[in-house]
Amino acid sequence: MLLEIDKLNVSFTVDTGRQQPETNQVLHEVSLSVDQGTTVALVGESGSGKSVTAFSILRLLEEGSQVHSSGRILFEGKDILTLADRQLRAIRGNRIAMIFQEPMTSLNPVYTIGNQLIEPLLLHRSLTKKEAEQEAIRLLDRTGIDNPAARLHTYPHQLSGGQRQRVMIAMALACRPSLLIADEPTTALDVTIQNQILELIRDLQDEFNMAVLLITHDLAMVRQIADHVHIMQNGRIVEHGPTQGLLANPQHPYTVHLLQSIPQVRTTEEKQGQKPLLTIEGLGCHFHLRDGWSGFLRRKIRTIKAVDDVSMTIGEGTTCGVVGESGSGKTTLGMAILKLARSHGMINFDGRDLQTLNNRQMRPLRRKMQVVFQDPFSSLSPRMTVEQIVEEGMRVHGLGGTAHQRREIVAETLNEVGLTPEMAWRYPHEFSGGQRQRIAIARAIVLQPRLLILDEPTSALDMTIQKQIIDLLLDLQQRYGMTYLFISHDLRVIRALADQVVVMQHGRIVEAGPAHELFAAPQHAYTRRLFEAALH
C-alpha cells in the first residue's frame, strides 16, 4: 500500500471575535487507500472536502490556518501527521507531487517557466545548473510543449491554459514522484486539451509506475481514467468501489444525484424564433502585432485574425451555442458583438447596425445586451456588496425609481436566481462558485435584456451546480423570452441548452445548423473530432 488514509478528521479554528473561538470540523473519519500504479478518484461537489483531503496529505493547510487533525496518513509506511518539518520537506515535491486546479495562480508570474521548473531539480535532485536545464527541456518536451528550449524563457501569461497545465505537470514530475495528486487538472480546458492532458498523465503513470489521486467533480473523466472511486459529501466518504461497477450501480442517494446531474440531451422541441434579433455579416476582428525587425529599422507586423468573415443569425427567444477550442475566436466574437472589441462588418441588433453608432448612441442599447463572464470571482467587484453589484446597472441607466424601490427589485431578482434577499449585504468572497455565478446572472437580468451573452458560465462549476444554472437559464428564457448566445467548450451543456449550434475554428465558422441535426450527423471533420473528444 503506497498511501493509506485512516479515519482522518480535520477541524479549523476560526476566531470570530468572541471569547471562545469556533471550531469547524470539515473532514469526518475519512478513509481511503491508493496502491502503486493505480488511479483513485475522489469525487464530490465544491465544499465536500476533496481539496482539504488532498492538502492534508501534504499538510499544506497548516501554514495559514489553525488546523487540528486526528487519524493517520500513512505514506510508504510513515505517518505524515507525525513528521517533523525537515522530513516533510523531503517528501513534498519529491515523493509526492501535486498539480493544482488553476495553473495561472499556481505559477509565479514574475519568473520564467525555466526558473520555476529548474528550481525543484536543483533542490531535490542536486543537479548542476546545466544538467537541470537539459532535464527541464526534456520534461517540457515529454509533456508535449512545442519548442521546449525556447519555452524556458517565457512567462506564464504568454502560454495558453493547456500549455500552463502541461508546465505544471512537468514541474510535478520533475522529481519522479511515487504519488501524483491532481486537483481538478482539466477544469476549464477544452475537451481536446482535456483528452491530451489525461492521455499524458496515463502515459507518464505507466512509464514511472506512478500512483494518481484524482480530485474532480467530472464523472465522465472518472469513468475514463480511474480504477477506483470514492464519493464525498459534507466531509465524509459516502460510497466507494471499483469505478465501472459503482457508476453502473450506485447505492447511495448522493451518488445517484451526481449521476443525474450530468447534462442530458435536450428533449423539448427547438425554437425557431419569431424574427431575427441579431444578424452579423462578414464580421472580422483582426489584431496587428509587432513581431521583431525586418530590413533596416523596419518592424514586421503580424496580423492575427481572431474572427474572420463570420456571418450568422440568431432568432428572438432562442439559444445559439458557439463551440470550439481555445483560440478559435468564440470569446472575441462575443466581445465584438457587444462592441467591446474593435471589428468590421455588419452587426444588426433589433434592426440597428451597431457599427454605425458611437459610444453615446450605444449606451441605451447596452441595457438590452448583457454579458455573463466565465469567472464570476474576477468579474464581481470585491469591494461591493451583492446589492450594490446588482443595483449598479439600474443606477447607470436611471432605472428602478427610488433607492427603496431599487432595493426591492434587487431582492426580487435574487429570489429569481435562487438566492435569498438576506444575501444582498454580503460580499462576493463569502459565496461559493455557483452562488457567485448566480449573482453575475442576477446583475445581467435585472436590466431585463433582450440578448444575454454567456461566456463559459458553467465551465468551472460542479455537475450539480451546472445543472442548476442550466435549469435557471431555461426558466428565465421561458419567463422573459430572452435570447442567449452561449459560448462554451462543454458540448454536453450546449446539447442541453442550444436550439442552434455554431462551430468555430481559427476564427471562422466551419459548420452551423439546428442543434439536433448537428449532434446527430456532424459533417465537418473538425466538428466530428470535437464531438468525439467530448461525448465519448
Side-chain angles (χ1 to χ4, degrees):
M1 191 74 63
L2 182 68
L3 174 74
E4 184 178 4
I5 301 177
D6 182 30
K7 295 182 179 178
L8 177 65
N9 296 285
V10 174
S11 302
F12 292 96
T13 300
V14 182
D15 187 359
T16 58
R18 300 172 188 163
Q19 285 186 337
Q20 288 293 330
E22 287 185 4
T23 300
N24 180 26
Q25 187 169 349
V26 292
L27 294 186
H28 306 265
E29 303 279 311
V30 171
S31 297
L32 64 85
S33 58
V34 184
D35 289 325
Q36 191 78 43
T38 64
T39 299
V40 173
L42 191 56
V43 180
E45 297 172 279
S46 290
S48 62
K50 308 186 303 292
S51 292
V52 172
T53 303
F55 292 160
S56 296
I57 294 169
L58 288 170
R59 286 171 53 187
L60 296 175
L61 300 167
E62 299 173 9
E63 302 292 330
S65 309
Q66 294 184 49
V67 182
H68 305 279
S69 304
S70 65
R72 297 188 305 162
I73 303 175
L74 298 174
F75 177 72
E76 295 180 334
K78 296 177 183 174
D79 189 353
I80 287 176
L81 295 179
T82 65
L83 297 182
D85 286 347
R86 184 178 55 79
Q87 295 170 300
L88 196 56
R89 281 196 296 270
I91 289 177
R92 283 178 179 164
N94 194 13
R95 304 296 298 139
I96 304 176
M98 189 163 183
I99 304 169
F100 295 95
Q101 181 170 355
E102 179 43 68
M104 193 59 186
T105 56
S106 304
L107 294 168
N108 193 321
V110 301
Y111 288 107
T112 64
I113 295 303
N115 283 336
Q116 297 180 67
L117 189 49
I118 287 168
E119 184 183 15
L121 296 168
L122 298 173
L123 189 65
H124 291 293
R125 289 178 57 182
S126 303
L127 300 181
T128 66
K129 183 79 182 292
K130 189 172 182 180
E131 289 171 339
E133 200 168 295
Q134 291 303 313
E135 179 65 4
I137 292 170
R138 192 191 70 79
L139 282 165
L140 288 178
D141 184 54
R142 183 68 188 84
T143 52
I145 294 281
D146 62 310
N147 198 3
R151 294 293 183 187
L152 288 183
H153 306 290
T154 61
Y155 290 87
H157 72 272
Q158 296 174 296
L159 302 176
S160 70
Q163 288 172 325
R164 285 195 290 266
Q165 197 62 286
R166 288 169 187 272
V167 170
M168 286 293 296
I169 293 172
M171 290 173 66
L173 298 174
C175 298
R176 299 175 185 170
S178 298
L179 173 65
L180 176 66
I181 302 172
D183 187 7
E184 301 279 8
T186 61
T187 295
L189 295 180
D190 301 331
V191 286
T192 48
I193 304 298
Q194 280 185 12
N195 274 7
Q196 291 169 19
I197 295 295
L198 293 179
E199 295 257 346
L200 173 61
I201 291 173
R202 264 200 302 256
D203 289 347
L204 294 167
Q205 185 177 19
D206 292 341
E207 185 177 332
F208 299 122
N209 194 30
M210 182 176 63
V212 175
L213 177 61
L214 177 67
I215 314 293
T216 186
H217 63 256
D218 189 341
L219 286 167
M221 185 203 302
V222 169
R223 195 189 302 273
Q224 186 180 347
I225 197 172
D227 303 305
H228 203 92
V229 61
H230 289 71
I231 307 294
M232 200 167 205
Q233 182 188 28
N234 299 329
R236 290 182 168 86
I237 303 287
V238 296
E239 188 171 3
H240 69 93
T243 302
Q244 300 307 325
L246 187 143
L247 296 182
N249 187 27
Q251 300 299 308
H252 196 276
Y254 179 67
T255 311
V256 175
H257 171 63
L258 283 180
L259 288 166
Q260 288 175 345
S261 299
I262 297 173
Q264 302 300 311
V265 178
R266 184 170 184 153
T267 53
T268 57
E269 190 175 333
E270 289 157 10
K271 302 183 288 294
Q272 300 305 312
Q274 299 301 313
K275 62 175 183 176
L277 178 69
L278 177 72
T279 301
I280 58 178
E281 290 182 8
L283 187 67
C285 189
H286 300 172
F287 300 98
H288 304 290
L289 305 178
R290 290 188 175 93
D291 192 18
W293 297 93
S294 174
F296 183 71
L297 298 180
R298 182 177 293 178
R299 221 54 190 281
K300 285 193 296 184
I301 303 296
R302 185 160 53 102
T303 300
I304 304 294
K305 296 183 178 181
V307 175
D308 187 20
D309 194 26
V310 167
S311 300
M312 60 189 285
T313 299
I314 304 177
E316 192 164 11
T318 66
T319 299
C320 176
V322 182
V323 301
E325 297 172 286
S326 282
S328 62
K330 307 186 301 294
T331 297
T332 307
L333 173 64
M335 296 304 100
I337 290 169
L338 292 167
K339 286 195 72 177
L340 296 176
R342 190 173 295 173
S343 63
H344 59 268
M346 188 191 76
I347 307 171
N348 189 302
F349 174 72
D350 198 23
R352 299 186 70 180
D353 187 356
L354 302 187
Q355 299 285 39
T356 65
L357 306 181
N358 58 33
N359 287 337
R360 185 178 56 80
Q361 293 168 319
M362 271 296 298
R363 179 166 286 204
L365 288 175
R366 292 219 177 271
R367 64 162 288 204
K368 298 180 181 179
M369 307 168 68
Q370 289 293 301
V371 60
V372 176
F373 295 100
Q374 178 173 356
D375 180 8
F377 195 64
S378 60
S379 65
L380 300 175
S381 172
R383 294 187 177 91
M384 297 169 70
T385 64
V386 169
E387 182 181 75
Q388 291 169 329
I389 288 168
V390 177
E391 182 194 34
E392 185 180 26
M394 289 190 289
R395 292 170 67 94
V396 167
H397 291 284
L399 304 173
T402 66
H404 177 70
Q405 289 171 324
R406 286 197 300 271
R407 191 172 293 125
E408 287 186 339
I409 293 171
V410 169
E412 289 171 12
T413 306
L414 291 177
N415 265 326
E416 284 186 328
V417 298
L419 300 173
T420 62
E422 294 75 30
M423 292 176 175
W425 305 104
R426 290 161 60 184
Y427 289 86
H429 73 271
E430 299 178 70
F431 294 91
S432 68
Q435 288 172 322
R436 283 195 289 264
Q437 199 59 284
R438 287 171 184 269
I439 294 165
I441 292 171
R443 176 177 61 181
I445 68 163
V446 75
L447 298 175
Q448 297 185 354
R450 298 185 64 189
L451 174 67
L452 186 58
I453 295 179
L454 301 121
D455 188 9
E456 302 275 12
T458 62
S459 64
L461 300 180
D462 300 331
M463 289 286 189
T464 50
I465 308 299
Q466 272 191 13
K467 186 175 188 302
Q468 290 169 18
I469 296 296
I470 291 169
D471 291 343
L472 169 64
L473 290 171
L474 289 170
D475 180 53
L476 291 170
Q477 187 175 53
Q478 191 171 9
R479 264 191 281 171
Y480 299 114
M482 278 189 289
T483 304
Y484 295 150
L485 180 70
F486 198 99
I487 298 165
S488 183
H489 65 253
D490 190 333
L491 288 165
R492 288 185 175 85
V493 173
I494 292 290
R495 191 169 56 176
L497 266 173
D499 300 296
Q500 58 176 319
V501 176
V502 168
V503 183
M504 291 189 72
Q505 184 187 30
H506 305 317
R508 286 179 166 268
I509 292 177
V510 296
E511 190 167 359
H516 70 279
E517 291 180 11
L518 212 65
F519 279 106
Q523 300 299 308
H524 196 276
Y526 175 72
T527 310
R528 288 198 294 271
R529 181 162 61 86
L530 207 60
F531 286 13
E532 188 179 332
L535 304 172
H536 58 281

